[in-house]
Amino acid sequence: MVKSFCCIVALSVYWLTLQSICNLGVLNTIVFEMYRTMAYRVVVIFASLWLAILAASAQKTTTVQGVVLDSLSHEPLPNVSVVLVGSDRGVKCDENGAFYITTQSDFSHVRVSLLGYRTVEQKVRVGRHNKMTIYLAPEAITLDEVLVRPGKEK
């Protein structure tokens, strides 16, 4: 970015030099018009490239880092699924319940889920580093009755 800024400054100085030479009458009008047109094109091309590079680098990186804990025991939960809602990115927590995701995708929430626990969604600030501690509450799944039938014997 600094290099492109220096190039634009150098081209601007070149442009001003050509204008001052023309004002002194050293170059005739035809030669100056040729140099001025060429210099104008070069300045426009470099300015366009600089703006394109600036726009491409403007995508903000969003980082989500955190730990997932059981809401009752405050123990870390391993293998929890952490998905960025609205993107194709997701990870599983390590054995300490920790996770880390970096992306440039657009999304607004993180969905955290594990079998036997309630799924949680938390809002994320796009383009920033988000640090969070997520507590998952156990979800009781009860069965009214279980019916076991013997299989057919051969």
Side-chain angles (χ1 to χ4, degrees):
M1 188 161 182
V2 173
K3 289 182 182 180
S4 61
F5 180 74
C6 290
C7 288
I8 289 175
V9 169
L11 288 173
S12 299
V13 169
Y14 175 70
W15 174 263
L16 291 172
T17 304
L18 281 179
Q19 282 184 336
S20 65
I21 289 173
C22 181
N23 289 339
L24 293 175
V26 176
L27 295 175
N28 62 26
T29 308
I30 297 171
V31 174
F32 175 72
E33 286 299 319
M34 181 180 73
Y35 280 114
R36 187 173 66 106
T37 305
M38 220 172 15
Y40 177 74
R41 288 180 184 160
V42 169
V43 168
V44 168
I45 288 171
F46 277 109
S48 300
L49 287 174
W50 182 70
L51 288 175
I53 290 170
L54 185 65
S57 66
Q59 282 187 326
K60 294 184 179 181
T61 301
T62 304
T63 304
V64 182
Q65 177 183 10
V67 64
V68 181
L69 304 172
D70 184 292
S71 65
L72 300 177
S73 66
H74 298 284
E75 294 287 326
L77 295 172
N79 301 320
V80 177
S81 174
V82 180
V83 179
L84 305 177
V85 179
S87 80
D88 59 347
R89 299 292 309 247
V91 295
K92 287 223 177 243
C93 293
D94 64 9
E95 63 274 356
N96 297 321
F99 64 92
Y100 185 85
I101 307 172
T102 300
T103 185
Q104 291 184 342
S105 301
D106 271 346
F107 64 96
S108 59
H109 290 80
V110 171
R111 181 179 296 135
V112 182
S113 61
L114 180 65
L115 187 63
Y117 289 87
R118 287 194 186 105
T119 300
V120 173
E121 282 195 18
Q122 281 197 347
K123 194 167 181 130
V124 175
R125 296 173 304 177
V126 178
R128 296 190 177 179
H129 180 79
N130 297 274
K131 221 171 181 181
M132 51 183 64
T133 302
I134 300 171
Y135 293 96
L136 292 183
E139 186 171 49
I141 301 173
T142 58
L143 300 173
D144 291 334
E145 67 181 60
V146 176
L147 180 61
V148 180
R149 295 185 189 169
K152 293 183 182 179
E153 290 185 31
K154 292 186 181 183

